[in-house]
DNA sequence: TTGAAAGCGGTACCAA
DNA sequence: TTGGTACCGCTTTCAA
């Protein structure tokens, strides 16, 4: 059932039927009612491609996942983020299109996405410090919102981020307040913007107490369990091992905890661990780590916010860049908690 | 840059340029080379909507997530599944379109998806026992692959599933072999097909040893942490509490373990827990549960397989239904393991 | 208030 | 081997 058939069925022109269905004012109310009833009854839905071709709008948002050859950056929070966003898009009649883009072919890929024309806007995931995608999308005049930020880019653009700096500043302060002086940082890849900010927050807290960050206690890498294990193991076998760890990812934290256990040390007594990027459920389960929340529900919430921002930008192209900074919570109600020294 | 402009630039007709770019044999090699070079240089990419309108093919696959008003069925494995699938689609030039569909409006939504025409095929997630979507999609002549199965549907259709029955049969046997006789089943909603099959496997194992399934030790519900807690707590406070739990989801298992701990019982000594739907990482971390794998990587693998099946169906409409049954592994190498009685 | 007709950017048939 | 032309299904000007 397409527009032509529907209009023939009604004895009207396609023009009138289109206008009736799209809420144009010049259609008589009786006609509109008749058209809407018939459309409903016959199960007519406009063909999105034809509509898009005629209007130049796709009514779809692209979510771009960078995939890298160097490191397998499967982002575990992506699913929740998209789920939150999709719920909002659906309410506004937008679809979600997901593309995996290899970082090598990035520029060509974005240009092709623009040319292919099946999205009206883009959510950029996993920004690097000096992410070339931002300038590129601006040049292409494609509306976009970055989930995260790019510290080295100084032109204004729309983003939404958690306050990684403050979260790690507070987490470090918390450990320092407990008396810890040698804290190991197991961080993500530091060309990723979030990892950079986390490290900055960590160092700021140390410096504020007159402590010099010790390079031997700071690691950066792709956040796998093995990376967490290797990092913690190396630090623990050093001359002056840490009494606490601040870990940028729950997955890496698993490795860190394994390294601690393998040495016969006791979590929460000999060594403490605080981690980010996690779900509160783990906490309630009595695992002895306080957690900076990037809980599943908070990630969905971020997705919803990002969707809202982007749709606003698409529908009002004159809008200035939108930004939003979410605060991470430090949860301390764990069963044992990090050990004071 | 569109086809018309490109062809004008080359002094050729749009027809010829289109043929050159799409690999038609009747174009001379010199022309093709010239066209391809120019397209590359000028950054031409065909407009997907126009192409789709002309060909009737969208080069996109829809992933439909049912959202329910009764229960918040956010599927935690969805992200990984889509990630696996998307990697395969990308290789074949397909995009992924995600739609959230409310179960109430299901029929209308699927008809609209068909009519809108921006996907060539659909992956159905979260099938129920007698899932109406299967008949509907067949009626609509829309290629589809179900992730899971629908036991009450007997017409042939394409699906890909893990062997839930066998996984739970084996898990139960394992506990029975260790001497457990009172095993609590904390299952998903049993109108969901996977939960039904898991229960069947559980009961089969009991019956095979002449044990009658005890309704007091079997629960069905949406798999949240609180549900796991409430279920386990109720069972443990019963007249004859279970000595082991078989739990259909890691999230619910967290609640189960909390209930055990709250009673002062020790996991892996007083009460054992086996769970499904989990990541091996937890195991390696020494948590004392053996696990039926639906690990993140295995879910991605399932996504890849489903994508492959669906693209085959789309490209060869005459193909008979494709099916694929994945076996879940029982991993027993945990640090403590379930306690023998 | 309604309709005819010209696109939107491609593809594919038919003719040359 | 190449080009002209109709058409995919809808929107939107312009005219009636």
């Amino acid at each position: 059932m397409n527009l032509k058939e529907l209009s023939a069925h009604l004895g009207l022109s396609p023009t009138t039927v289109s206008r009736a269905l799209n809420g144009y004012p010049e259609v008589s109310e009786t006609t509109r009612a008749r058209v809407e009833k018939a459309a409903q009854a016959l199960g007519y839905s406009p063909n999105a491609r034809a509509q898009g071709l005629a209007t130049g709008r796709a009514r779809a948002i692209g979510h771009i996942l960078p995939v890298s050859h160097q490191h397998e950056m499967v982002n575990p929070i992506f699913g929740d983020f998209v789920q939150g966003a999709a719920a909002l898009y659906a309410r506004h009649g937008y679809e979600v299109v997901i593309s995996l883009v290899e970082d090598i072919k990035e520029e060509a890929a974005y240009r092709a996405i623009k040319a292919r024309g099946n999205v009206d806007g883009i959510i950029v995931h996993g920004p690097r410090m000096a992410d070339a995608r931002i300038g590129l999308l601006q040049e292409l005049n494609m509306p976009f919102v970055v989930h995260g930020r790019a510290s080295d880019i100084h032109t204004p653009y729309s983003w939404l981020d958690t306050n990684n700096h403050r979260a790690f500043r507070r987490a470090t302060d918390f450990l320092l307040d407990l008396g810890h002086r040698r804290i190991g940082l197991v961080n993500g890849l530091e060309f990723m913007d979030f990892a950079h900010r986390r490290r900055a927050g960590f160092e700021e807290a140390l410096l504020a107490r007159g402590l010099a960050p010790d390079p031997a206690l700071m690691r950066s890498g792709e956040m796998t369990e093995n990376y967490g294990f290797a990092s913690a193991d190396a630090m623990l076998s050093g001359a002056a091992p840490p009494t606490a760890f601040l870990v940028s990812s729950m997955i890496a934290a698993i490795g860190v905890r394994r390294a601690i256990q393998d040495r016969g040390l006791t979590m929460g007594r000999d060594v403490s661990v605080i981690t980010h990027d996690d779900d509160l459920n783990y906490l309630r389960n009595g695992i002895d780590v306080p957690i900076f929340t990037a809980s599943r529900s908070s990630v969905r919430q971020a997705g919803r916010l990002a969707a809202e921002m982007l749709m606003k930008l698409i529908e009002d192209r004159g809008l200035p860049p939108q930004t939003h900074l979410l605060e991470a919570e430090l949860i301390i109600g764990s069963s044992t908690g990090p050990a004071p020294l």
Side-chain angles (χ1 to χ4, degrees), chain A:
Chain A
M1 170 63 54
N2 61 23
L3 187 65
K4 200 197 281 183
E5 289 162 14
L6 177 61
S7 60
H9 176 87
L10 284 161
L12 288 167
S13 74
T15 312
T16 302
V17 175
S18 168
R19 281 196 280 237
L21 259 19
N22 290 306
Y24 282 65
E26 61 263 39
V27 182
S28 78
E29 274 316 312
T30 54
T31 306
R32 189 191 307 282
R34 204 162 67 89
V35 169
E36 273 169 357
K37 188 155 152 277
Q40 189 79 38
L42 298 171
Y44 168 78
S45 300
N47 180 301
R49 287 190 304 254
Q51 214 164 19
L53 191 56
T55 60
R57 305 252 283 94
R59 292 209 81 79
I61 309 279
H63 281 247
I64 312 240
L65 282 185
V67 289
S68 172
H69 282 296
Q70 299 164 57
H71 57 103
E72 192 199 355
M73 214 203 51
V74 285
N75 193 335
I77 70 165
F78 173 72
D80 287 309
F81 187 91
V82 167
Q83 214 158 50
L88 231 101
Y89 296 144
R91 283 218 272 289
H92 295 254
Y94 283 83
E95 312 253 16
V96 189
V97 176
I98 295 189
S99 312
L100 304 192
V101 170
E102 292 180 20
D103 49 5
I104 316 171
K105 309 179 187 155
E106 214 154 68
E107 173 150 355
Y110 280 79
R111 288 188 190 280
I113 284 164
K114 168 78 178 182
R116 286 175 59 78
N118 43 18
V119 299
D120 297 323
I122 283 177
I123 302 271
V124 174
H125 293 271
R128 276 91 75 186
M129 292 280 294
D131 206 300
R133 294 176 289 177
I134 290 166
L136 179 57
L137 288 169
Q138 284 173 329
E139 180 202 322
L140 293 173
N141 191 29
M142 168 72 85
F144 68 98
V145 168
V146 181
H147 181 209
R149 277 175 287 178
S151 301
D152 290 349
I153 305 281
H154 300 294
T155 56
Y157 59 93
S158 295
W159 53 261
L160 165 142
D161 200 2
T162 48
N163 195 339
N164 285 296
H165 182 103
R166 193 136 91 102
F168 271 58
R169 164 77 202 241
R170 291 175 62 204
T172 309
D173 274 335
F174 175 66
L175 289 170
L176 291 168
D177 287 344
L178 291 173
H180 292 278
R181 286 298 172 269
R182 299 192 57 74
I183 303 170
L185 175 68
V186 181
N187 202 6
L189 291 161
E190 288 183 13
F191 60 78
M192 299 295 292
D193 191 76
F194 78 91
H196 176 77
R197 287 178 190 276
R198 290 178 181 183
R199 178 197 178 112
F202 172 74
E203 292 182 338
E204 184 185 271
L206 293 180
L207 292 171
R209 312 233 182 173
L211 297 170
D214 178 354
L217 295 184
M218 290 155 72
R219 295 261 172 158
S220 160
E222 191 190 359
M223 297 191 293
T224 63
E225 187 190 329
N226 284 338
Y227 160 66
F229 179 84
S231 302
D233 193 58
M235 291 190 204
L236 289 171
S237 61
T243 59
F245 285 98
L246 183 50
V247 188
S248 245
S249 123
M250 182 59 188
I251 305 293
I254 291 170
V256 169
R257 298 174 70 230
R258 187 155 57 86
I260 293 169
Q261 290 173 337
D262 280 7
R263 295 190 161 256
L265 302 170
T266 298
M267 286 279 309
R269 191 193 67 200
D270 304 319
V271 186
S272 295
V273 175
I274 295 191
T275 188
H276 192 69
D277 266 5
D278 195 19
D279 197 299
L280 287 181
N281 283 314
Y282 292 104
L283 183 62
R284 289 197 219 107
N285 192 34
I287 291 175
D288 55 359
V289 284
I291 286 167
F292 281 87
T293 48
S295 69
R296 295 190 62 186
S297 63
S298 77
V299 170
R300 278 203 292 275
Q301 169 65 4
R304 282 193 290 272
L305 275 169
E308 214 162 65
M309 289 165 61
L310 184 51
M311 290 189 299
K312 225 185 272 177
L313 287 174
I314 289 169
E315 276 154 27
D316 181 357
R317 291 300 208 99
L319 229 53
Q322 311 284 299
T323 62
H324 205 301
L325 187 58
L326 297 160
E327 290 297 334
E329 279 181 275
L330 173 58
I331 311 285
I332 316 186
S334 69
S335 59
T336 56
L341 277 193

